[in-house]
Amino acid sequence: MLLHDALVSLLFFLAVSFTSADPTFNDDVLGLIVFKSGLDDPLSKLASWNSEDYDPCSWAGCVCDPATNQVTELRLDGFSLSGHIGRGLLRLRSLHTLVLSNNNFTGALNPELTHLGTLQLLDFSGNNLSGRIPDGFFEQCGSLTSVSLARNRLTGPLPVSLSYCSTLTHLNLSSNQLSGRLPRELWLLKSLNSLDLSDNFLQGDLPDGIGGLYDLRRINLSRNWLSGELPSDVGACSSLRWLDLSENYFSGSLPVSMKVLGGSCSFLRVRGNSLVGEIPEWIGELAALETLDLSANNFSGNAPSSLGNLVFLKELNLSTNFLSGEIPQSISNCSSLVSIDVSKNAFTGDVLKWMLFSQSSSRFDLQKRSGNDSFLSNVGFLQGLRILDLSSNRFSGEIPSNIGILTSLVHLNISTNSLFGSVPSGIGGLKLAEILDLSSNLLNGTLPSEIGGAVSLKQLNLQRNQLTGQIPALLSNCSALNTIDLSENKLSGEIPGSIGSLSNLQYIDLSRNNLSGSLPKQVEKLTHLVTFNISHNSITGELPAGGFFNTIPLSAVTGNPSLCGSVVNRSCLSVHPKPIVLNPNSSNPATGPPLGGQIRKSVLSISALIAIGAAAFIAIGVVAVTLLNVHAKSSVSRHDAAAALAMSVGETFSCSPSKDQEFGKLVMFSGEADVFDTSGANALLNKDCELGRGGFGVVYKTSLQDGRPVAVKKLTVSGLIKSQEEFEREMRKLGKLRHRNVVEIKGYYWTQSLQLLIHEFVSGGSLYRHLHGDECVCLTWRERFNIILGIARGLAYLHGSNITHYNLKATNVLIDADTGEAKVSDFGLARLLASALDRCVLSGKVQSALGYTAPEFACRTVKITEKCDVYGFGILVLEVVTGKRPVEYAEDDVMVLCETVREGLEDGRVEECVDGRLRGNFPAEEAIPVIKLGLVCGSQVPSNRPEMEEVVKILELIQCPSQEFE
Ligand SMILES: *[C@@H]1O[C@H](CO)[C@@H](O)[C@H](O)[C@H]1NC(C)=O
Ligand SMILES: *[C@@H]1O[C@H](CO)[C@@H](O)[C@H](O)[C@H]1NC(C)=O
Ligand SMILES: *[C@@H]1O[C@H](CO)[C@@H](O)[C@H](O)[C@H]1NC(C)=O
Ligand SMILES: *[C@@H]1O[C@H](CO)[C@@H](O)[C@H](O)[C@H]1NC(C)=O
């Protein structure tokens, strides 16, 4: 550094001491090379500055006088240079323009610089100059007309020597750290055209005398600490166009002399002072005003109607004062208005109404009265309005339906008033609106879906109103939205999933409404979320996982009693994500929700909720063992009694079928007895016609005389049924059952030793064959779901008819080959046998496949109810979803399906449980709740299992509306 300084000094010494007697040697080259040698030029902007050149006229930033080849202008704006402004520049004897703005020059100002007698324009703005402005700086300023030292770090007071620069027309010292009082001498700069001292620490009163500056056009003293009254003689600045005294501590009222500025002044800003009094009527005489900003003062009283004279006014800001009364209607004459801000006052009246309606009516009246059509020129009023802020006043009235005519509006804030009525659909016409704030009013009714027309919306504030109805899904059309606040209304219904497409969304507050349903999964896609508040609603189900939702604060979700997830510290294990709003009116579960009419909604029964909630926590280990025991025990006794009987009965039949038939009684419920093909009985001997074997017998296929196929079941336990009367009564009851998910009993045949059951032939075979059979054509998810739903409906129907199945399993569910519909079969017989058989024998008999038996079968003291069917159904559900048998034997292990799935669920691997043959081709949002439902139904405690009626409703809710996984 020392070496560098020494070199510079040497060069400078050379520069000043060598005379210019040598004609080939250009002083300016030397001066600029010296200047450059003191600089850091990281971008090599000065690479063209070559000391070998005869003159600098081709150098970057240099302009020469062609006659003398001497530099007259040096413009190095934004060259990224840093270092001190060196004395080399003092060699430039013809320099009149020196622009070093927007670099990184540091150090203090060199007072000698202004002593270059030729200099007219000096611009050092946007550097890093520090220290005081030296007294000498302005002392010999010769012909200097324009000085800008703006945006540096200069400190200290304005030098009094400033007054010597009588030629100065532009002085810009803004954005420094200048302090002290303004010297009275400032007003001696009679040629001043523009004065900018804004953004400093200047303080004290404005000295008198400004009125002598007749050429002053532009004065900016904003953002200082100036105080006292506004200068009373400012009106004498007859050329003044631009007056900015904002953000100081000025007090008193607007000086009346200002009104003389009428012809010229277009910009008047006094915001952020402590000015008092009324806005004077004479303000209307400042007819050239384009900007009038009186905001953030203590002005009071009414807004004068003379404001209407300001026909060039583009920006009117009266915000944050104590103004009251109505906005004068004359303001509609200000047809150039682009921005109106009267927020934070005490204005009253129905301002929006006259703004949007008065135009046509007043024009009409006027034309009618006088034929004067001067108002016609005002047709464009408000059409160009981009900003309208009426917030925090006492405005009342309704939002006019034609608000959409404000097609240029970008920012509309009418919050915190007393506006009532509904949000008009015309709001959708505000195509350019980016900010719409209607919050804190008395608005009611629904939010119209036309809001989707406001396609530029970034921010929508409707909080603290009385809005009802649903959040319109079309809000998703406003794709730029980043803020939605609808909190503290009475909105209901579900949160539309479509908001998931608003990818810019950062802040969403829906708290304190009556929203219900589960959170749409789509919100997981909102990657920019900062706030997502749904607290104090009736949102149910599971909080989404991942991303923002892992860290969502409790306060944002609290107050939703049925919401679950780790954040609310409530387990979700068994709560499916669909709404638990049921329709009790749909008495027939097969018909789905009724169309139209009144739909009453209710919530799932408490017992079902408890069942759902409790089920997941019940361990099953014990039960698996119990089941194995039961099986072992029962298989012994079975051989003793029932099985032996059954076999002998079979033999009897095969020996003398025709004899039995002669003495037997055949009943067909449809009155078709005569058409029953007696040769059909022969089918019973034919192994090829055997359809399957169940706990109660063997089923054969045969046909009626007209060729229609039927299934005939030969009861293998028939020897146990002693009473013909009882049998027939039971059969008649079963014969009345009609449901598309229940196999229809068409008739029966009775002899003392043989009973046949004639029922509908179902073409597709058993569910067992579909799931585990060799020729298994893999069922799709949708087919499986429909099968589960069909079984549930069938069972619910049976239970509704007071029939318990007792024997539900995959082989007893038949599938219609044409419709894929599941049909429950083999029901109702257990009752006939129940009295005859020991329970353990029965359980072994009927639940012949291990795994479907409800645990209460093992316990003699527990009453067996239809809840045992719910258990079997639960196991069946798991079987259908996983494609695995209820119990599978591995090499040296027994896999109990229910247990495996429950473990999977607890480990969060529940999706892995789904049948691998589906290859992931299933909607998890259906599969998971279905599995959970299966586990709930398979609960160990009977009372924890839901009713089948509820199961059907839950399944209907789980079903995705878009059945995309066909
Ligand atoms: C100015 O210089 C300082 C250090 O000398 C450097 O950190 C800064 O980035 C420079 N600023 C500009 C605008 O070049
Ligand atoms: C101004 O200079 C100071 C050191 O004098 C340095 O710390 C600061 O970064 C500079 N500011 C800019 C904007 O370059
Ligand atoms: C003063 O300089 C600043 C910064 O360069 C500029 O923004 C401002 O417009 C200038 N003031 C006047 C009155 O020209
Ligand atoms: C909205 O409020 C107004 C009065 O404030 C009332 O007349 C009207 O019926 C309400 N509308 C609705 C939909 O509640």
Side-chain angles (χ1 to χ4, degrees):
M1 201 59 206
L2 275 175
L3 185 64
H4 176 85
D5 282 352
L7 189 66
V8 172
S9 313
L10 178 64
L11 277 166
F12 186 73
F13 169 75
L14 288 171
V16 255
S17 50
F18 279 92
T19 64
S20 50
D22 181 354
T24 63
F25 192 83
N26 186 316
D27 238 11
D28 290 3
V29 171
L30 190 56
L32 288 170
I33 291 298
V34 168
F35 170 69
K36 178 188 173 184
S37 69
L39 298 182
D40 198 7
D41 177 19
L43 305 183
S44 300
K45 289 275 199 182
L46 305 183
S48 59
W49 289 24
N50 188 343
S51 56
E52 310 277 297
D53 291 342
Y54 287 112
D55 62 60
C57 299
S58 58
W59 293 4
C62 298
V63 176
C64 287
D65 175 349
T68 62
N69 279 354
Q70 286 190 317
V71 177
T72 54
E73 296 183 27
L74 182 61
R75 295 182 182 269
L76 306 179
D77 178 71
F79 273 40
S80 293
L81 306 172
S82 57
H84 290 240
I85 300 173
R87 299 173 67 212
L89 295 180
L90 299 180
R91 300 295 295 172
L92 307 176
R93 299 286 173 196
S94 304
L95 195 66
H96 62 72
T97 297
L98 176 57
V99 177
L100 303 181
S101 54
N102 301 312
N103 283 289
N104 209 352
F105 289 110
T106 48
L109 282 174
N110 182 345
E112 293 169 297
L113 276 171
T114 46
H115 300 176
L116 288 169
T118 51
L119 205 57
Q120 293 168 16
L121 186 149
L122 178 149
D123 186 353
F124 290 176
S125 65
N127 280 289
N128 204 348
L129 301 170
S130 54
R132 294 169 154 241
I133 301 175
D135 258 343
F137 192 78
F138 290 109
E139 249 161 26
Q140 304 176 24
C141 58
S143 47
L144 211 53
T145 57
S146 174
V147 172
S148 177
L149 303 174
R151 293 195 294 119
N152 280 285
R153 297 190 300 130
L154 300 169
T155 51
L158 286 180
V160 177
S161 60
L162 202 56
S163 58
Y164 300 150
C165 288
S166 54
T167 51
L168 214 52
T169 58
H170 295 89
L171 178 61
N172 191 342
L173 304 178
S174 75
S175 300
N176 280 286
Q177 296 155 24
L178 301 172
S179 56
R181 294 173 162 262
L182 286 184
R184 183 177 304 271
E185 289 79 2
L186 193 58
W187 306 141
L188 298 177
L189 300 175
K190 297 289 184 205
S191 312
L192 263 191
N193 210 296
S194 90
L195 173 66
D196 191 345
L197 303 178
S198 62
D199 197 13
N200 280 289
F201 301 125
L202 300 169
Q203 52 176 293
D205 294 358
L206 279 186
D208 288 342
I210 191 173
L213 303 183
Y214 303 120
D215 292 332
L216 200 57
R217 287 159 171 258
R218 195 177 163 108
I219 178 164
N220 189 349
L221 302 178
S222 66
R223 281 169 287 144
N224 279 289
W225 296 349
L226 300 168
S227 56
E229 304 233 330
L230 297 183
S232 57
D233 54 348
V234 68
C237 306
S238 47
S239 309
L240 204 58
R241 307 222 154 124
W242 218 87
L243 177 59
D244 191 345
L245 303 175
S246 59
E247 322 237 357
N248 280 287
Y249 298 102
F250 290 118
S251 54
S253 53
L254 288 176
V256 70
S257 78
M258 265 188 185
K259 70 173 171 186
V260 214
L261 298 174
S264 58
C265 191
S266 66
F267 185 101
L268 174 59
R269 181 153 69 187
V270 294
R271 64 164 289 133
N273 282 289
S274 305
L275 302 175
V276 294
E278 302 209 347
I279 300 175
E281 190 71 32
W282 55 253
I283 203 91
E285 294 178 32
L286 300 178
L289 274 185
E290 292 177 11
T291 297
L292 175 61
D293 186 350
L294 307 179
S295 63
N297 279 288
N298 300 330
F299 289 115
S300 55
N302 292 354
S305 63
S306 64
L307 282 172
N309 299 344
L310 306 178
V311 293
F312 299 113
L313 202 59
K314 291 186 178 139
E315 184 188 346
L316 173 65
N317 193 343
L318 305 178
S319 160
T320 322
N321 279 290
F322 300 107
L323 300 168
S324 56
E326 302 205 358
I327 302 278
Q329 293 213 10
S330 60
I331 216 173
S332 60
N333 297 349
C334 309
S335 54
S336 311
L337 275 171
V338 170
S339 168
I340 301 177
D341 185 352
V342 297
S343 63
K344 304 200 184 91
N345 280 289
F347 284 121
T348 52
D350 192 348
V351 67
L352 274 167
K353 188 149 186 183
W354 68 251
M355 274 188 177
L356 298 176
F357 283 118
S358 68
Q359 216 47 54
S360 48
S361 58
S362 56
R363 200 175 90 215
F364 180 73
D365 289 349
L366 232 86
Q367 276 175 317
K368 220 169 40 175
R369 273 202 303 268
S370 61
N372 178 345
D373 63 356
S374 67
F375 264 67
L376 278 175
S377 60
N378 299 332
V379 170
F381 172 61
L382 291 181
Q383 295 288 309
L385 200 63
R386 292 164 55 80
I387 298 175
L388 180 58
D389 191 340
L390 307 176
S391 63
S392 299
N393 278 288
R394 296 174 195 163
F395 291 120
S396 58
E398 299 193 34
I399 302 176
S401 56
N402 63 342
I403 188 146
I405 65 169
L406 300 178
T407 48
S408 306
L409 215 53
V410 174
H411 179 147
L412 175 64
N413 188 349
I414 48 180
S415 66
T416 319
N417 279 291
S418 301
L419 302 175
F420 51 83
S422 57
V423 178
S425 56
I427 208 104
L430 303 177
K431 300 251 180 283
L432 299 181
E434 293 177 4
I435 297 180
L436 204 52
D437 190 345
L438 315 181
S439 62
S440 298
N441 278 292
L442 306 168
L443 300 172
N444 62 7
T446 56
L447 183 55
S449 56
E450 283 83 353
I451 187 89
V455 289
S456 308
L457 267 192
K458 292 183 175 157
Q459 188 182 327
L460 177 63
N461 290 80
L462 292 167
Q463 70 271 24
R464 274 177 249 122
N465 278 292
Q466 293 158 18
L467 298 174
T468 52
Q470 306 211 340
I471 300 172
L474 281 178
L475 205 51
S476 60
N477 285 0
C478 314
S479 55
L481 269 172
N482 74 53
T483 300
I484 301 178
D485 192 344
L486 305 177
S487 62
E488 296 183 59
N489 278 288
K490 297 171 182 169
L491 297 167
S492 55
E494 296 191 29
I495 299 171
S498 59
I499 64 166
S501 64
L502 297 172
S503 54
N504 296 311
L505 214 50
Q506 292 187 26
Y507 303 91
I508 176 156
D509 191 346
L510 307 176
S511 62
R512 294 179 196 276
N513 278 288
N514 301 329
L515 297 168
S516 56
S518 57
L519 271 186
K521 220 176 150 41
Q522 291 91 323
V523 298
E524 286 172 28
K525 293 190 234 155
L526 301 172
T527 47
H528 296 113
L529 280 184
V530 176
T531 296
F532 189 94
N533 193 342
I534 50 164
S535 63
H536 303 286
N537 279 288
S538 301
I539 309 275
T540 55
E542 204 164 339
L543 273 170
F548 172 80
F549 290 95
N550 284 343
T551 55
I552 192 169
L554 177 61
S555 60
V557 294
T558 190
N560 291 285
S562 304
L563 196 66
C564 66
S566 58
V567 178
V568 287
N569 204 10
R570 207 175 291 130
S571 166
C572 284
L573 283 174
S574 299
V575 182
H576 61 84
K578 282 281 182 160
I580 316 191
V581 180
L582 300 180
N583 179 5
N585 283 356
S586 62
S587 54
N588 180 359
T591 58
L595 296 167
Q598 276 198 326
I599 298 178
R600 273 192 295 131
K601 296 194 169 181
S602 79
V603 175
L604 255 196
S605 76
I606 301 295
S607 79
L609 285 173
I610 292 172
I612 288 169
F617 304 106
I618 296 168
I620 186 160
V622 183
V623 174
V625 176
T626 319
L627 288 179
L628 288 165
N629 289 341
V630 170
H631 181 64
K633 239 194 294 171
S634 62
S635 53
V636 175
S637 40
R638 186 174 59 184
H639 280 292
D640 298 347
L645 276 168
M647 284 164 77
S648 66
V649 167
E651 269 156 30
T652 312
F653 175 74
S654 60
C655 286
S656 52
S658 55
K659 181 171 157 268
D660 277 319
Q661 200 179 342
E662 275 170 3
F663 297 101
K665 177 180 179 184
L666 177 67
V667 175
M668 294 299 280
F669 299 124
S670 54
E672 296 171 299
D674 51 337
V675 296
F676 183 63
D677 184 359
T678 45
S679 71
N682 295 327
L684 304 188
L685 295 172
N686 189 345
K687 275 272 173 199
D688 293 345
C689 298
E690 188 175 315
L691 291 172
R693 287 168 181 268
F696 296 117
V698 186
V699 185
Y700 300 90
K701 177 184 176 185
T702 184
S703 51
L704 298 175
Q705 258 173 351
D706 65 3
R708 276 188 293 142
V710 289
V712 176
K713 170 175 280 183
K714 186 182 74 175
L715 297 183
T716 49
V717 289
S718 56
L720 295 171
I721 305 168
K722 296 290 185 243
S723 157
Q724 181 176 0
E725 199 189 330
E726 197 187 341
F727 176 79
E728 293 198 61
R729 191 172 49 214
E730 198 65 25
M731 285 306 123
R732 276 195 298 274
K733 189 172 146 197
L734 297 183
K736 290 199 190 103
L737 299 176
R738 292 287 182 280
H739 189 277
R740 66 180 218 239
N741 297 115
V742 171
V743 168
E744 183 185 339
I745 310 279
K746 291 183 175 292
Y748 62 90
Y749 175 80
W750 164 268
T751 72
Q752 193 59 39
S753 57
L754 171 70
Q755 291 90 37
L756 300 180
L757 217 64
I758 301 148
H759 58 77
E760 171 190 9
F761 173 73
V762 183
S763 51
S766 75
L767 174 60
Y768 183 90
R769 206 166 59 85
H770 281 268
L771 287 174
H772 313 299
D774 299 333
E775 82 275 43
C776 154
V777 187
C778 183
L779 294 166
T780 65
W781 170 260
R782 187 55 51 206
E783 287 166 343
R784 288 175 202 237
F785 188 92
N786 286 338
I787 287 169
I788 292 172
L789 187 55
I791 300 170
R793 284 174 175 159
L795 273 183
Y797 174 73
L798 288 177
H799 291 175
S801 313
N802 255 325
I803 291 167
T804 305
H805 192 296
Y806 288 119
N807 197 15
L808 192 64
K809 56 186 175 181
T811 47
N812 280 340
V813 173
L814 305 177
I815 308 293
D816 189 313
D818 298 328
T819 62
E821 197 84 58
K823 288 174 185 284
V824 177
S825 79
D826 215 24
F827 47 86
L829 295 168
R831 184 147 134 169
L832 272 176
L833 303 169
S835 51
L837 286 175
D838 177 78
R839 185 191 274 180
C840 283
V841 177
L842 180 68
S843 81
K845 186 81 210 160
V846 298
Q847 310 268 344
S848 53
L850 181 66
Y852 296 103
T853 322
E856 61 266 30
F857 270 99
C859 176
R860 283 159 203 265
T861 58
V862 176
K863 189 169 168 275
I864 307 289
T865 64
E866 68 274 10
K867 287 292 179 79
C868 73
D869 288 348
V870 182
Y871 182 89
F873 172 77
I875 303 303
L876 208 48
V877 166
L878 299 181
E879 183 173 355
V880 172
V881 173
T882 61
K884 297 203 174 59
R885 293 179 180 82
V887 178
E888 294 202 339
Y889 297 91
E891 278 177 8
D892 49 12
D893 201 9
V894 182
M895 308 269 288
V896 178
L897 176 60
C898 191
E899 194 177 3
T900 319
V901 173
R902 200 182 301 271
E903 276 168 9
L905 183 67
E906 277 160 13
D907 298 351
R909 293 179 289 110
V910 63
E911 289 181 44
E912 291 172 26
C913 299
V914 178
D915 195 341
R917 288 173 290 182
L918 287 173
R919 293 192 187 76
N921 205 3
F922 61 89
E925 68 267 29
E926 278 188 26
I928 292 172
V930 166
I931 289 173
K932 289 176 177 174
L933 181 64
L935 288 172
V936 172
C937 292
S939 166
Q940 300 304 302
V941 182
S943 60
N944 280 350
R945 301 172 204 150
E947 304 286 334
M948 283 314 298
E949 188 87 353
E950 288 170 332
V951 170
V952 170
K953 286 169 181 169
I954 292 170
L955 281 169
E956 285 167 352
L957 291 168
I958 288 172
Q959 191 161 22
C960 288
S962 62
Q963 306 198 343
E964 52 201 310
F965 290 84
E966 287 300 335

